[in-house]
Amino acid sequence: MARYTGIFTVAVKIENLQPIFTDIFSYCGCEIIYNRGDYLIAREFPGQVSFSKLVTIDITFDRLTNTTEKTRINIVIRNEELALKLDNHCRQVFDLLTKLIVENSNWELLESIIEYSSSI
């Protein structure tokens, strides 16, 4: 199973994040399948890769204390693919998503922590 995580702190109101991530997911070939306001789950559209390579993205938004303009975004991207190669499909989607978050003009990126891990 491939699994990649990232934590990003951005200067943006938490209420503005869902529409931004809807656009980001669309660009990555994913759609939101669960929305609880501060928690989103998105999944890749079937048909482009095998079922085991389909990526699921979990995102949690945490408002940082004492501010309405800073939000922590916790991301977990995973699939059932055996991560036998460093450049696997899950990693490619994670790298694209990370790039879109870091370079997004809708907020100021304050901090980022990236973790690459996989299990066989």
PDB file of all heavy atoms in Angstrom, residues 98-117:
ATOM      1  N   THR A  98       0.697  18.336  -4.210  1.00  0.00           N
ATOM      2  CA  THR A  98       1.587  19.174  -3.407  1.00  0.00           C
ATOM      3  C   THR A  98       2.006  20.419  -4.177  1.00  0.00           C
ATOM      4  O   THR A  98       1.994  21.533  -3.655  1.00  0.00           O
ATOM      5  CB  THR A  98       2.831  18.371  -2.981  1.00  0.00           C
ATOM      6  OG1 THR A  98       2.409  17.249  -2.215  1.00  0.00           O
ATOM      7  CG2 THR A  98       3.782  19.207  -2.165  1.00  0.00           C
ATOM      8  N   LYS A  99       2.349  20.243  -5.433  1.00  0.00           N
ATOM      9  CA  LYS A  99       2.749  21.369  -6.277  1.00  0.00           C
ATOM     10  C   LYS A  99       1.604  22.372  -6.410  1.00  0.00           C
ATOM     11  O   LYS A  99       1.805  23.587  -6.308  1.00  0.00           O
ATOM     12  CB  LYS A  99       3.172  20.861  -7.656  1.00  0.00           C
ATOM     13  CG  LYS A  99       3.601  21.933  -8.620  1.00  0.00           C
ATOM     14  CD  LYS A  99       4.037  21.317  -9.943  1.00  0.00           C
ATOM     15  CE  LYS A  99       4.626  22.349 -10.857  1.00  0.00           C
ATOM     16  NZ  LYS A  99       3.699  22.830 -11.854  1.00  0.00           N
ATOM     17  N   LEU A 100       0.390  21.869  -6.613  1.00  0.00           N
ATOM     18  CA  LEU A 100      -0.766  22.758  -6.755  1.00  0.00           C
ATOM     19  C   LEU A 100      -1.057  23.513  -5.459  1.00  0.00           C
ATOM     20  O   LEU A 100      -1.492  24.668  -5.497  1.00  0.00           O
ATOM     21  CB  LEU A 100      -1.993  21.955  -7.189  1.00  0.00           C
ATOM     22  CG  LEU A 100      -1.910  21.359  -8.595  1.00  0.00           C
ATOM     23  CD1 LEU A 100      -3.098  20.428  -8.847  1.00  0.00           C
ATOM     24  CD2 LEU A 100      -1.852  22.454  -9.642  1.00  0.00           C
ATOM     25  N   ILE A 101      -0.822  22.885  -4.321  1.00  0.00           N
ATOM     26  CA  ILE A 101      -1.032  23.560  -3.038  1.00  0.00           C
ATOM     27  C   ILE A 101       0.036  24.626  -2.817  1.00  0.00           C
ATOM     28  O   ILE A 101      -0.263  25.767  -2.455  1.00  0.00           O
ATOM     29  CB  ILE A 101      -1.037  22.540  -1.881  1.00  0.00           C
ATOM     30  CG1 ILE A 101      -2.291  21.669  -1.972  1.00  0.00           C
ATOM     31  CG2 ILE A 101      -0.968  23.247  -0.528  1.00  0.00           C
ATOM     32  CD1 ILE A 101      -2.293  20.490  -1.026  1.00  0.00           C
ATOM     33  N   VAL A 102       1.287  24.267  -3.037  1.00  0.00           N
ATOM     34  CA  VAL A 102       2.393  25.197  -2.797  1.00  0.00           C
ATOM     35  C   VAL A 102       2.310  26.410  -3.716  1.00  0.00           C
ATOM     36  O   VAL A 102       2.559  27.542  -3.291  1.00  0.00           O
ATOM     37  CB  VAL A 102       3.746  24.467  -2.964  1.00  0.00           C
ATOM     38  CG1 VAL A 102       4.913  25.437  -3.004  1.00  0.00           C
ATOM     39  CG2 VAL A 102       3.929  23.448  -1.844  1.00  0.00           C
ATOM     40  N   GLU A 103       1.917  26.204  -4.963  1.00  0.00           N
ATOM     41  CA  GLU A 103       1.918  27.292  -5.945  1.00  0.00           C
ATOM     42  C   GLU A 103       0.568  28.000  -6.074  1.00  0.00           C
ATOM     43  O   GLU A 103       0.423  28.880  -6.907  1.00  0.00           O
ATOM     44  CB  GLU A 103       2.341  26.746  -7.303  1.00  0.00           C
ATOM     45  CG  GLU A 103       3.769  26.228  -7.322  1.00  0.00           C
ATOM     46  CD  GLU A 103       4.166  25.607  -8.640  1.00  0.00           C
ATOM     47  OE1 GLU A 103       3.304  25.495  -9.550  1.00  0.00           O
ATOM     48  OE2 GLU A 103       5.342  25.231  -8.758  1.00  0.00           O
ATOM     49  N   ASN A 104      -0.403  27.655  -5.242  1.00  0.00           N
ATOM     50  CA  ASN A 104      -1.739  28.236  -5.367  1.00  0.00           C
ATOM     51  C   ASN A 104      -1.722  29.713  -5.011  1.00  0.00           C
ATOM     52  O   ASN A 104      -1.182  30.115  -3.982  1.00  0.00           O
ATOM     53  CB  ASN A 104      -2.726  27.485  -4.469  1.00  0.00           C
ATOM     54  CG  ASN A 104      -4.148  27.733  -4.879  1.00  0.00           C
ATOM     55  OD1 ASN A 104      -4.638  28.846  -4.823  1.00  0.00           O
ATOM     56  ND2 ASN A 104      -4.816  26.678  -5.312  1.00  0.00           N
ATOM     57  N   SER A 105      -2.345  30.523  -5.862  1.00  0.00           N
ATOM     58  CA  SER A 105      -2.358  31.972  -5.653  1.00  0.00           C
ATOM     59  C   SER A 105      -3.491  32.429  -4.736  1.00  0.00           C
ATOM     60  O   SER A 105      -3.591  33.613  -4.431  1.00  0.00           O
ATOM     61  CB  SER A 105      -2.477  32.685  -7.004  1.00  0.00           C
ATOM     62  OG  SER A 105      -3.712  32.347  -7.619  1.00  0.00           O
ATOM     63  N   ASN A 106      -4.345  31.512  -4.273  1.00  0.00           N
ATOM     64  CA  ASN A 106      -5.461  31.885  -3.408  1.00  0.00           C
ATOM     65  C   ASN A 106      -5.070  32.013  -1.945  1.00  0.00           C
ATOM     66  O   ASN A 106      -5.897  32.376  -1.112  1.00  0.00           O
ATOM     67  CB  ASN A 106      -6.588  30.853  -3.521  1.00  0.00           C
ATOM     68  CG  ASN A 106      -7.238  30.909  -4.881  1.00  0.00           C
ATOM     69  OD1 ASN A 106      -7.729  31.944  -5.282  1.00  0.00           O
ATOM     70  ND2 ASN A 106      -7.200  29.799  -5.602  1.00  0.00           N
ATOM     71  N   TRP A 107      -3.841  31.672  -1.605  1.00  0.00           N
ATOM     72  CA  TRP A 107      -3.379  31.785  -0.229  1.00  0.00           C
ATOM     73  C   TRP A 107      -1.883  31.995  -0.197  1.00  0.00           C
ATOM     74  O   TRP A 107      -1.182  31.842  -1.184  1.00  0.00           O
ATOM     75  CB  TRP A 107      -3.734  30.559   0.589  1.00  0.00           C
ATOM     76  CG  TRP A 107      -3.251  29.253   0.032  1.00  0.00           C
ATOM     77  CD1 TRP A 107      -1.957  28.889  -0.248  1.00  0.00           C
ATOM     78  CD2 TRP A 107      -4.046  28.135  -0.320  1.00  0.00           C
ATOM     79  NE1 TRP A 107      -1.908  27.616  -0.750  1.00  0.00           N
ATOM     80  CE2 TRP A 107      -3.181  27.122  -0.792  1.00  0.00           C
ATOM     81  CE3 TRP A 107      -5.401  27.865  -0.259  1.00  0.00           C
ATOM     82  CZ2 TRP A 107      -3.631  25.887  -1.205  1.00  0.00           C
ATOM     83  CZ3 TRP A 107      -5.841  26.637  -0.670  1.00  0.00           C
ATOM     84  CH2 TRP A 107      -4.970  25.662  -1.137  1.00  0.00           C
ATOM     85  N   GLU A 108      -1.398  32.319   1.000  1.00  0.00           N
ATOM     86  CA  GLU A 108       0.031  32.406   1.250  1.00  0.00           C
ATOM     87  C   GLU A 108       0.433  31.161   2.026  1.00  0.00           C
ATOM     88  O   GLU A 108      -0.128  30.874   3.087  1.00  0.00           O
ATOM     89  CB  GLU A 108       0.350  33.655   2.077  1.00  0.00           C
ATOM     90  CG  GLU A 108       1.810  33.779   2.432  1.00  0.00           C
ATOM     91  CD  GLU A 108       2.076  34.934   3.387  1.00  0.00           C
ATOM     92  OE1 GLU A 108       1.162  35.706   3.699  1.00  0.00           O
ATOM     93  OE2 GLU A 108       3.229  35.020   3.850  1.00  0.00           O
ATOM     94  N   LEU A 109       1.371  30.411   1.483  1.00  0.00           N
ATOM     95  CA  LEU A 109       1.864  29.210   2.156  1.00  0.00           C
ATOM     96  C   LEU A 109       2.803  29.634   3.278  1.00  0.00           C
ATOM     97  O   LEU A 109       3.788  30.323   3.054  1.00  0.00           O
ATOM     98  CB  LEU A 109       2.595  28.293   1.175  1.00  0.00           C
ATOM     99  CG  LEU A 109       3.148  27.001   1.749  1.00  0.00           C
ATOM    100  CD1 LEU A 109       2.013  26.076   2.179  1.00  0.00           C
ATOM    101  CD2 LEU A 109       4.045  26.321   0.736  1.00  0.00           C
ATOM    102  N   LEU A 110       2.490  29.229   4.511  1.00  0.00           N
ATOM    103  CA  LEU A 110       3.289  29.603   5.673  1.00  0.00           C
ATOM    104  C   LEU A 110       4.236  28.492   6.106  1.00  0.00           C
ATOM    105  O   LEU A 110       5.320  28.755   6.617  1.00  0.00           O
ATOM    106  CB  LEU A 110       2.366  29.986   6.841  1.00  0.00           C
ATOM    107  CG  LEU A 110       1.368  31.110   6.549  1.00  0.00           C
ATOM    108  CD1 LEU A 110       0.419  31.291   7.713  1.00  0.00           C
ATOM    109  CD2 LEU A 110       2.099  32.404   6.224  1.00  0.00           C
ATOM    110  N   GLU A 111       3.814  27.231   5.909  1.00  0.00           N
ATOM    111  CA  GLU A 111       4.626  26.092   6.350  1.00  0.00           C
ATOM    112  C   GLU A 111       4.190  24.847   5.595  1.00  0.00           C
ATOM    113  O   GLU A 111       3.018  24.693   5.256  1.00  0.00           O
ATOM    114  CB  GLU A 111       4.431  25.872   7.848  1.00  0.00           C
ATOM    115  CG  GLU A 111       5.189  24.708   8.424  1.00  0.00           C
ATOM    116  CD  GLU A 111       4.852  24.463   9.882  1.00  0.00           C
ATOM    117  OE1 GLU A 111       3.806  24.908  10.369  1.00  0.00           O
ATOM    118  OE2 GLU A 111       5.670  23.798  10.535  1.00  0.00           O
ATOM    119  N   SER A 112       5.130  23.933   5.350  1.00  0.00           N
ATOM    120  CA  SER A 112       4.778  22.644   4.751  1.00  0.00           C
ATOM    121  C   SER A 112       5.683  21.553   5.305  1.00  0.00           C
ATOM    122  O   SER A 112       6.867  21.762   5.519  1.00  0.00           O
ATOM    123  CB  SER A 112       4.868  22.686   3.225  1.00  0.00           C
ATOM    124  OG  SER A 112       6.191  22.884   2.816  1.00  0.00           O
ATOM    125  N   ILE A 113       5.075  20.404   5.568  1.00  0.00           N
ATOM    126  CA  ILE A 113       5.789  19.219   6.032  1.00  0.00           C
ATOM    127  C   ILE A 113       5.313  18.059   5.173  1.00  0.00           C
ATOM    128  O   ILE A 113       4.125  17.768   5.119  1.00  0.00           O
ATOM    129  CB  ILE A 113       5.488  18.930   7.519  1.00  0.00           C
ATOM    130  CG1 ILE A 113       5.876  20.124   8.390  1.00  0.00           C
ATOM    131  CG2 ILE A 113       6.205  17.665   7.966  1.00  0.00           C
ATOM    132  CD1 ILE A 113       5.378  20.034   9.809  1.00  0.00           C
ATOM    133  N   ILE A 114       6.225  17.389   4.500  1.00  0.00           N
ATOM    134  CA  ILE A 114       5.906  16.302   3.575  1.00  0.00           C
ATOM    135  C   ILE A 114       6.513  15.011   4.113  1.00  0.00           C
ATOM    136  O   ILE A 114       7.655  15.001   4.562  1.00  0.00           O
ATOM    137  CB  ILE A 114       6.500  16.580   2.172  1.00  0.00           C
ATOM    138  CG1 ILE A 114       6.144  17.962   1.686  1.00  0.00           C
ATOM    139  CG2 ILE A 114       6.119  15.476   1.209  1.00  0.00           C
ATOM    140  CD1 ILE A 114       4.780  18.137   1.138  1.00  0.00           C
ATOM    141  N   GLU A 115       5.741  13.908   4.032  1.00  0.00           N
ATOM    142  CA  GLU A 115       6.259  12.606   4.462  1.00  0.00           C
ATOM    143  C   GLU A 115       5.948  11.567   3.388  1.00  0.00           C
ATOM    144  O   GLU A 115       4.808  11.423   2.981  1.00  0.00           O
ATOM    145  CB  GLU A 115       5.615  12.181   5.772  1.00  0.00           C
ATOM    146  CG  GLU A 115       6.136  10.853   6.279  1.00  0.00           C
ATOM    147  CD  GLU A 115       5.496  10.452   7.588  1.00  0.00           C
ATOM    148  OE1 GLU A 115       5.355  11.313   8.462  1.00  0.00           O
ATOM    149  OE2 GLU A 115       5.153   9.269   7.720  1.00  0.00           O
ATOM    150  N   TYR A 116       6.973  10.880   2.953  1.00  0.00           N
ATOM    151  CA  TYR A 116       6.812   9.817   1.983  1.00  0.00           C
ATOM    152  C   TYR A 116       6.964   8.489   2.713  1.00  0.00           C
ATOM    153  O   TYR A 116       7.966   8.252   3.370  1.00  0.00           O
ATOM    154  CB  TYR A 116       7.878   9.913   0.888  1.00  0.00           C
ATOM    155  CG  TYR A 116       7.839  11.187   0.102  1.00  0.00           C
ATOM    156  CD1 TYR A 116       8.731  12.210   0.352  1.00  0.00           C
ATOM    157  CD2 TYR A 116       6.891  11.365  -0.889  1.00  0.00           C
ATOM    158  CE1 TYR A 116       8.694  13.391  -0.381  1.00  0.00           C
ATOM    159  CE2 TYR A 116       6.835  12.545  -1.626  1.00  0.00           C
ATOM    160  CZ  TYR A 116       7.750  13.544  -1.368  1.00  0.00           C
ATOM    161  OH  TYR A 116       7.699  14.698  -2.070  1.00  0.00           O
ATOM    162  N   SER A 117       5.968   7.627   2.606  1.00  0.00           N
ATOM    163  CA  SER A 117       6.086   6.309   3.217  1.00  0.00           C
ATOM    164  C   SER A 117       5.263   5.319   2.405  1.00  0.00           C
ATOM    165  O   SER A 117       4.346   5.688   1.695  1.00  0.00           O
ATOM    166  CB  SER A 117       5.591   6.326   4.663  1.00  0.00           C
ATOM    167  OG  SER A 117       4.216   6.631   4.710  1.00  0.00           O
TER     168      SER A 117
END
